[in-house]
Amino acid sequence: MSTTSSDPLATLGGLPGVTDAVDSVRKAVDRVYGHRVMRRRSNEVTAEAALRGARGSAALSGADWNLEEVRRRTDFSGEEEARSVGAALRLTAEAGQLLSIWRQSPLRVLARLHLVAAGGVTPDDAVGRPRLAGESVSEPLIEAPLPDAEEVSGRLEGLSGLVIAGSSAPALVMSSVVHGEILALRPFRSHNGLVARTAERIVLVGSGLDPKSICPAEVGHAEQGRAAYVSAFEGYLSGRPEGMAAWIAHCGRSVGLGVRESTAVCEALQRGAA
């Protein structure tokens, strides 16, 4: 991530294609929030969005389970896929508790998210802290070169500064950058993708774009597929304007697909089918 203005995220918001993505997301979110079901059963929609978002995030981490299996399962110990799904569910539940902390201490939130995700799998002394020099990272799907520990520390501080300072950029831009930067850094020894996508959710909710957390971008990321996710992320890694714009647009489509999923939930609730 490299921009030069005093508000670099605002600069990103002006990139070709980004304005259209922002407008499209805003209109889609407004439509689902205007659904008549949201006036009386929004808690049910939020709960279902959380479940489906967790399923989508786990799928990108290699555990592509059927939604009904995620809904039915109670034991997420044992095999690696089950642990990934369990971690995604725990993170989704935890995200809502961290909204008030995020703007004041994003690094504290990231540490907490890793602690929740790891759930005793990662060695205790590595949980909730950025990796040290020489420590390896286990991260399904992302094979990009790994920044060294010193670069990770500096860029995390930079990201924290951006969040704390605030920005006039749209929520989609901020959430995309937070997601992309955590994925690029992979600051923890494990579960970085799950943490990155949860942080994206926190920004979208905390910004006021999706205050009831009913527009799970994780659903859209999974629906577009792992190959599209990696390809768009490579645009972020490039640091070039067109690459950054492509990543933000990809994230925008993911939110839009999350909106579509929750709209279907609203329709099912209205019909009495869910």
Side-chain angles (χ1 to χ4, degrees):
M1 180 179 57
S2 59
T3 52
T4 57
S5 80
S6 59
D7 186 352
L9 299 185
T11 301
L12 293 177
L15 292 174
V18 172
T19 299
D20 289 344
V22 169
D23 289 345
S24 177
V25 164
R26 168 51 69 189
K27 290 175 182 176
V29 171
D30 285 348
R31 282 196 298 272
V32 72
Y33 269 84
H35 197 286
R36 61 187 300 178
V37 165
M38 288 296 297
R39 292 196 291 270
R40 49 197 172 84
R41 303 181 72 178
S42 63
N43 288 343
E44 294 172 71
V45 181
T46 295
E48 190 65 20
L51 183 72
R52 295 180 185 219
R55 192 218 72 83
S57 192
L60 289 172
S61 288
D64 193 1
W65 286 16
N66 180 278
L67 180 63
E68 292 312 311
E69 174 65 12
V70 178
R71 196 190 305 279
R72 179 193 67 80
R73 189 79 168 255
T74 57
D75 181 7
F76 296 96
S77 60
E79 72 272 22
E80 185 175 351
E81 285 195 7
R83 293 198 303 269
S84 291
V85 175
L89 288 167
R90 291 193 301 274
L91 285 170
T92 300
E94 186 73 11
Q97 310 302 313
L98 299 172
L99 294 171
S100 63
I101 304 172
W102 173 256
R103 285 295 300 272
Q104 284 73 43
S105 186
L107 298 186
R108 179 181 164 195
V109 168
L110 294 179
R112 175 62 185 170
L113 291 176
H114 185 247
L115 178 66
V116 169
V121 175
T122 302
D124 287 350
D125 64 348
V127 171
R129 63 150 173 84
R131 55 187 166 83
L132 305 176
E135 290 185 329
S136 61
V137 171
S138 172
E139 187 55 51
L141 189 61
I142 303 302
E143 298 179 353
L146 201 63
D148 63 31
E150 184 177 356
E151 182 180 352
V152 168
S153 178
R155 286 173 62 177
L156 280 177
E157 288 293 339
L159 180 63
S160 176
L162 281 175
V163 172
I164 293 169
S167 172
S168 62
L172 175 64
V173 173
M174 174 67 90
S175 63
S176 300
V177 167
V178 167
H179 181 173
E181 191 69 357
I182 296 169
L183 208 56
L185 295 178
R186 280 148 289 160
F188 304 109
R189 295 194 61 189
S190 64
H191 301 94
N192 291 286
L194 291 172
V195 169
R197 291 184 288 274
T198 305
E200 177 186 41
R201 171 186 285 270
I202 288 172
V203 175
L204 290 170
V205 174
S207 68
L209 176 66
D210 179 23
K212 294 183 181 294
S213 194
I214 62 166
C215 307
E218 306 97 319
V219 167
H221 288 305
E223 186 170 333
Q224 292 186 81
R226 300 179 89 194
Y229 184 73
V230 172
S231 177
F233 174 60
E234 287 172 352
Y236 180 88
L237 283 178
S238 76
R240 296 191 298 269
E242 61 273 19
M244 298 292 284
W247 170 247
I248 294 167
H250 176 88
C251 292
R253 287 191 294 274
S254 296
V255 176
L257 289 167
V259 168
R260 187 177 72 180
E261 188 89 350
S262 286
T263 300
V265 170
C266 288
E267 294 296 328
L269 288 170
Q270 186 167 287
R271 294 192 305 270

